[in-house]
Amino acid sequence: MSNHIYNYRDTNLSLYQVNSNYSLLLQIYPATFSYAVVYQNKLMAWAEDCDIKLLTEPGDAHDLLSFDYKKVAAGVHPTGFTLIPNALFSDDKLADFARYLDVKPNEKVLAQPLDDDNYVVFKVDGKVAAAAEKFGTDNIVFVNKGWITAIANNLQDNNLYLNIDKNQVDILYFANGKIRFYNCFEFTNPDELVYYTSLVAQELQLQPKSLILQVSGDCNVDDKNLTRLADFFNGVEQNELEVIEHPSTIFPHQLLVLAALSLCVSSEVY
């Protein structure tokens, strides 16, 4: 686990300054959420793992959430997803695709373009969907859409991309500029993380000792997870991709998934 800065706020920022040039980015989970307020392309505020109740009753500590933002990307954490090539996707087939997700009564199914080639069909907890709908259904985004877009815009050869979010790792690999593999796995210890990452490499017929892992999210370069991965792969690096401007006290890999939602603010979602 990393030692995150859980709260940041530009000392010159107040609610009374917020206007249409500001964007609100959110990662919403069943019990918690994280958010960032961005002015044009500059981080102005960031808070992690806030109680979900603060979305409706932000109080003085999170008064920036009281503004009616016109630019919002409400990233929702899925409980399951599948990618469908554009040529196969149509709205009238959504119910058929949803059958592969084993949708529970308390879950909602959504779909939207993930990139130029694929739709993502995903299910979310009903509480998550309800919380996100407060910001408008058109502003609901698959939580890792921005992360995938940011990486696609800055690809490096022979990299496997990981994002660690609490006890989940998302693994992404591109070939010839296209998504070749994307999935997520739950893990409880470093050995399980190594197992799933190695399993993906094996499935893709990649040699671990030739691969560099670019890792973002909940990690430090010397934590147990990354240290264990380094025993099996050619290199393990924190992803230094910067999507927005932010203070030097915040490491890019910590903020990447949330910040990359800024790439989705103007996107048309369905």
Side-chain angles (χ1 to χ4, degrees):
M1 299 292 286
S2 64
N3 296 315
H4 277 191
I5 298 173
Y6 286 94
N7 287 281
Y8 164 76
R9 184 162 176 164
D10 189 294
T11 55
N12 298 316
L13 177 64
S14 73
L15 175 62
Y16 303 104
Q17 294 173 287
V18 179
N19 55 42
S20 59
N21 290 320
Y22 286 75
S23 302
L24 177 65
L25 314 176
L26 302 122
Q27 291 172 284
I28 304 176
Y29 303 83
T32 64
F33 72 100
S34 299
Y35 71 90
V37 176
V38 177
Y39 173 69
Q40 295 179 342
N41 197 45
K42 180 181 178 182
L43 179 69
M44 302 302 293
W46 174 37
E48 286 192 316
D49 290 335
C50 303
D51 190 303
I52 196 70
K53 295 178 182 178
L54 292 174
L55 275 179
T56 53
E57 299 178 10
D60 293 338
H62 300 278
D63 61 335
L64 293 172
L65 293 172
S66 300
F67 183 77
D68 184 18
Y69 293 87
K70 304 305 179 186
K71 300 176 182 178
V72 180
V76 291
H77 187 76
T79 53
F81 66 88
T82 186
L83 302 190
I84 306 296
N86 287 348
L88 299 180
F89 182 85
S90 64
D91 289 333
D92 58 0
K93 294 181 179 178
L94 183 57
D96 295 328
F97 295 132
R99 292 175 184 170
Y100 296 103
L101 299 178
D102 188 25
V103 181
K104 303 295 191 297
N106 65 328
E107 294 176 323
K108 184 171 183 177
V109 177
L110 302 169
Q112 60 190 227
L114 184 66
D115 59 10
D116 291 339
D117 302 299
N118 302 285
Y119 268 73
V120 58
V121 178
F122 58 105
K123 60 177 183 173
V124 295
D125 182 277
K127 293 180 180 179
V128 171
E133 285 170 356
K134 169 190 174 183
F135 301 96
T137 55
D138 288 344
N139 294 322
I140 298 175
V141 181
F142 182 74
V143 72
N144 282 334
K145 180 177 179 178
W147 177 67
I148 292 170
T149 301
I151 291 172
N153 292 339
N154 296 272
L155 285 177
Q156 299 178 26
D157 292 338
N158 215 32
N159 281 354
L160 198 61
Y161 296 90
L162 278 66
N163 185 71
I164 297 174
D165 186 357
K166 300 179 177 64
N167 65 336
Q168 178 177 298
V169 59
D170 292 270
I171 303 180
L172 175 67
Y173 182 74
F174 283 82
N176 300 318
K178 307 289 186 180
I179 294 176
R180 171 79 183 280
F181 181 91
Y182 174 55
N183 209 340
C184 64
F185 306 89
E186 291 188 359
F187 68 97
T188 59
N189 57 62
D191 286 335
E192 288 186 0
L193 176 61
V194 169
Y195 169 78
Y196 288 121
T197 308
S198 299
L199 187 66
V200 170
Q202 181 180 15
E203 181 175 327
L204 295 172
Q205 297 183 331
L206 303 172
Q207 297 300 318
K209 288 302 182 180
S210 300
L211 273 178
I212 294 176
L213 306 184
Q214 291 280 344
V215 189
S216 57
D218 191 11
C219 62
N220 280 324
V221 69
D222 57 352
D223 70 21
K224 293 181 180 179
N225 286 331
L226 269 59
T227 299
R228 191 69 175 131
L229 285 168
D231 292 336
F232 294 86
F233 292 88
N234 181 43
V236 179
E237 302 174 356
Q238 293 173 326
N239 196 323
E240 298 299 320
L241 181 60
E242 295 191 34
V243 181
I244 61 175
E245 298 177 21
H246 55 78
S248 59
T249 52
I250 298 174
F251 296 110
H253 73 273
Q254 294 176 314
L255 190 62
L256 182 54
V257 170
L258 181 59
L261 286 171
S262 62
L263 302 175
C264 306
V265 168
S266 300
S267 298
E268 186 177 5
V269 295
Y270 301 89

